[in-house]
């Protein structure tokens, strides 16, 4: 059974600081990795995707992937109150088209 | 440019009734996924469909649940003889290409309450 693990939080971060969200996955041959943001009562929306080892930056967001450690993370720089949401890590690959989600980490940015 | 449309947004059923949830993907998308989400939980994969084909239904309960994505019309998730444990938000997502390399576009979800 493929699994994606996240700390459920809540993770509280002061406004303007860096929020660091972590995720581990069990299937070593996973190939595609995603971070989705979900506001309470709303649907998930994709904020980052990463496919190869290293860092990928998009504005205030940086995704980091380490396939050897089966670890993917999301950094949010200059955190804003609007970043308060649940962040879902998602993984797919190895010829299996389904995308498996973790339970999510609740992030709370303190004004 | 319409996104993924799900209906109904809210559905109330009594135990033993049937629930039928509909999902119209983004125009041109031929891949549909259904997920279930319980309060304070993540998204649990249920089924992945392409037009007229079920590709992966490994997350679907063996009984009472079925899904289809006909050549014409929306994808349907059907739950027969609902029980209280079926109460959840059911999200549909679509993708223009195989999901493992593409973004999933989610609908707003259908929230099922079983009395």
């Amino acid at each position: 059974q493929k699994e994606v693990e996240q700390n459920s939080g809540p993770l509280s971060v002061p406004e303007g600081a860096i929020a660091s969200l972590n995720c581990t996955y069990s299937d070593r041959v996973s190939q595609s990795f995603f971070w989705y943001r979900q506001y309470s009562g709303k649907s998930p929306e994709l904020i980052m995707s990463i496919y190869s080892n290293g860092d990928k930056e998009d504005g205030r967001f940086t995704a980091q992937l380490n396939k050897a450690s089966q670890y993917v993370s999301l950094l949010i720089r200059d955190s804003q109150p609007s970043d308060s949401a649940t962040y879902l890590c998602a993984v797919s690959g190895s010829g299996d088209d389904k995308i498996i989600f973790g339970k999510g980490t609740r992030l709370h940015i303190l004004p | 440019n319409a996104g993924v449309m799900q209906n109904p947004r809210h559905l109330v059923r009594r135990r033993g009734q049937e629930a039928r949830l509909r999902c119209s993907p983004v125009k041109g998308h031929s891949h549909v996924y259904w997920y279930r989400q319980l309060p304070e939980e993540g998204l649990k994969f249920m089924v992945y469909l392409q037009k007229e084909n079920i590709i992966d239904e490994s997350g679907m309960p063996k009984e009472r649940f079925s899904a289809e994505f006909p050549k014409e019309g929306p994808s349907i998730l059907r739950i027969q003889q609902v029980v209280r444990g079926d109460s959840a938000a059911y999200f549909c997502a679509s993708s223009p290409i195989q999901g493992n390399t593409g973004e999933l576009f989610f609908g707003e979800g259908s929230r099922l309450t079983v009395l």
Side-chain angles (χ1 to χ4, degrees):
Chain A
Q1 179 75 4
K2 299 174 186 175
E3 293 185 350
V4 178
E5 299 287 340
Q6 296 181 255
N7 188 324
S8 62
L11 175 66
S12 295
V13 173
E15 184 175 355
I18 296 175
S20 177
L21 304 162
N22 304 314
C23 171
T24 59
Y25 57 94
S26 64
D27 187 357
R28 180 167 292 278
V29 298
S30 296
Q31 298 176 6
S32 305
F33 307 87
F34 310 90
W35 283 100
Y36 283 78
R37 178 176 62 201
Q38 185 177 26
Y39 292 112
S40 180
K42 300 295 185 181
S43 59
E45 56 179 334
L46 180 71
I47 52 173
M48 289 288 286
S49 57
I50 187 166
Y51 306 103
S52 55
N53 280 328
D55 294 0
K56 178 182 178 182
E57 187 175 318
D58 183 1
R60 295 186 297 110
F61 298 97
T62 299
Q64 299 175 317
L65 175 61
N66 183 327
K67 290 186 178 181
S69 300
Q70 295 174 236
Y71 176 92
V72 58
S73 65
L74 179 70
L75 301 177
I76 307 174
R77 289 182 299 282
D78 188 23
S79 297
Q80 304 296 311
S82 59
D83 295 327
S84 297
T86 296
Y87 289 80
L88 302 166
C89 175
V91 174
S92 75
S94 67
D96 182 339
D97 293 330
K98 67 187 180 191
I99 297 179
I100 303 298
F101 284 80
K103 291 187 176 183
T105 297
R106 282 179 293 139
L107 175 65
H108 183 210
I109 305 301
L110 303 169
Chain B
N1 214 7
V4 176
M5 303 298 291
Q6 288 189 249
N7 69 82
R9 293 290 308 279
H10 300 275
L11 183 63
V12 179
R13 285 288 180 265
R14 296 190 181 278
R15 282 179 295 172
Q17 292 184 320
E18 178 180 290
R20 193 174 290 232
L21 311 177
R22 288 175 290 278
C23 169
S24 296
V26 174
K27 187 176 181 181
H29 287 193
S30 58
H31 301 255
V32 166
Y33 298 75
W34 285 93
Y35 289 86
R36 177 164 63 180
Q37 188 173 41
L38 294 170
E40 306 301 321
E41 295 281 327
L43 294 164
K44 184 174 183 295
F45 170 81
M46 299 182 74
V47 62
Y48 165 42
L49 311 104
Q50 292 180 21
K51 284 282 188 182
E52 300 184 275
N53 286 305
I54 296 174
I55 306 303
D56 186 332
E57 56 181 348
S58 59
M60 289 272 276
K62 294 289 184 246
E63 298 177 352
R64 302 189 297 109
F65 285 72
S66 62
E68 62 176 6
F69 188 18
K71 184 177 180 181
E72 301 291 338
S75 175
I76 305 287
L77 178 68
R78 183 182 178 206
I79 311 172
Q80 295 177 290
Q81 299 177 331
V82 297
V83 300
R84 288 217 173 104
D86 297 333
S87 296
Y90 292 85
F91 286 96
C92 170
S94 74
S95 172
I97 58 177
Q98 287 180 326
N100 63 0
T101 56
E103 175 182 358
L104 291 183
F105 295 79
F106 280 87
E108 291 296 318
S110 291
R111 284 155 179 80
L112 173 64
T113 301
V114 180
L115 302 178

